[in-house]
Amino acid sequence: MRHPKEKQWFSRGYLPHFDQPNLLQTITFRLADALPQTVLEEMERELRARPEAERRTERERRIATYLDAGHGACWLKDPRIADLVEGALLHFDDQRYRLLAWCVMPNHVHALTEMKDGFPLSEVLHSWKSYTANEANKILGRTGDLWQREYHDRYVRDENHYRNVVAYIENNPVKAGLVKTAKEWRYSSAWR
């Protein structure tokens, strides 16, 4: 039975989200300064003339490339902050969700999860981001937003999609040129 707070498709005026228990979902959230709004607006202008499906695919590719280039303060490169974020992801694993794959990159985080009944995706994300922002700001001696308000989620459609998502998440540090093999990246499911 679905918890009354659990919605399916919803939006807070930004990206649409799909929230349903027992659904495998890939989630990406990023630091507040990792991808400025002006960069996103420029991407949209450049892609405006393309068909919607092509525009969406190209937008996702460009965003991933931009993030992997390491823009912004990259506070997640600090081992204290990366440990904090990874610990938050793992804290309620097998209680509120199943964490199937993850990777803490210098300016963004990937997670593949299956939400459990009674724990909506939006609340889990809020918990991760709120806790880690407060603690990271203490560690870094700063104030202000740590995370971008929104996150990107996509449900996993089939076994092939699942394998591709796990490979993408775990190989993201390799693709970004941070390590030679996925198992070398300390803050990921591949390392464990």
Side-chain angles (χ1 to χ4, degrees):
M1 172 160 50
R2 194 154 26 101
H3 186 278
K5 285 186 171 181
E6 292 172 341
K7 309 169 192 173
Q8 287 188 322
W9 283 106
F10 71 98
S11 174
R12 296 181 309 179
Y14 303 99
L15 296 173
H17 300 288
F18 190 74
D19 194 356
Q20 180 178 319
N22 307 311
L23 183 71
L24 300 184
Q25 290 184 270
T26 178
I27 305 157
T28 301
F29 56 104
R30 58 184 179 252
L31 293 174
D33 69 345
L35 183 60
Q37 187 62 34
T38 54
V39 172
L40 283 171
E41 289 167 0
E42 180 61 27
M43 283 182 198
E44 289 302 318
R45 276 193 295 279
E46 291 173 2
L47 299 173
R48 188 179 315 129
R50 296 186 186 192
E52 176 57 30
E54 182 183 327
R55 187 168 59 236
R56 187 175 347 149
T57 300
E58 181 60 15
R59 179 188 314 115
E60 288 177 17
R61 187 195 67 74
R62 288 185 185 194
I63 288 171
T65 299
Y66 189 88
L67 291 174
D68 289 347
H71 294 282
C74 293
W75 291 303
L76 303 175
K77 282 196 305 191
D78 183 326
R80 300 171 301 168
I81 309 306
D83 276 330
L84 172 72
V85 172
E86 184 179 52
L89 296 175
L90 293 168
H91 186 74
F92 288 111
D93 184 25
D94 282 332
Q95 293 173 40
R96 297 180 182 179
Y97 47 83
R98 278 192 324 136
L99 186 61
L100 303 165
W102 72 92
C103 183
V104 179
M105 295 290 288
N107 62 4
H108 65 286
V109 176
H110 295 291
L112 174 60
T113 63
E114 178 183 14
M115 293 297 132
K116 297 196 177 218
D117 285 327
F119 299 100
L121 175 63
S122 61
E123 290 181 15
V124 168
L125 261 289
H126 175 77
S127 173
W128 287 344
K129 290 164 74 175
S130 177
Y131 172 75
T132 58
N134 289 327
E135 295 302 311
N137 279 344
K138 287 177 195 172
I139 292 168
L140 296 168
R142 67 178 298 276
T143 59
D145 292 335
L146 184 76
W147 300 107
Q148 181 199 26
R149 183 175 175 184
E150 274 294 338
Y151 58 92
H152 181 268
D153 61 283
R154 173 176 279 173
Y155 68 93
V156 176
R157 288 156 180 80
D158 56 33
E159 185 64 32
N160 188 51
H161 188 198
Y162 174 83
R163 283 191 301 274
N164 288 339
V165 166
V166 170
Y168 178 86
I169 289 171
E170 292 185 344
N171 285 295
N172 195 201
V174 176
K175 182 177 164 243
L178 300 170
V179 290
K180 291 191 187 310
T181 68
K183 290 182 180 185
E184 294 175 59
W185 190 251
R186 164 62 189 88
Y187 304 102
S188 74
S189 49
W191 187 80
R192 287 184 175 253

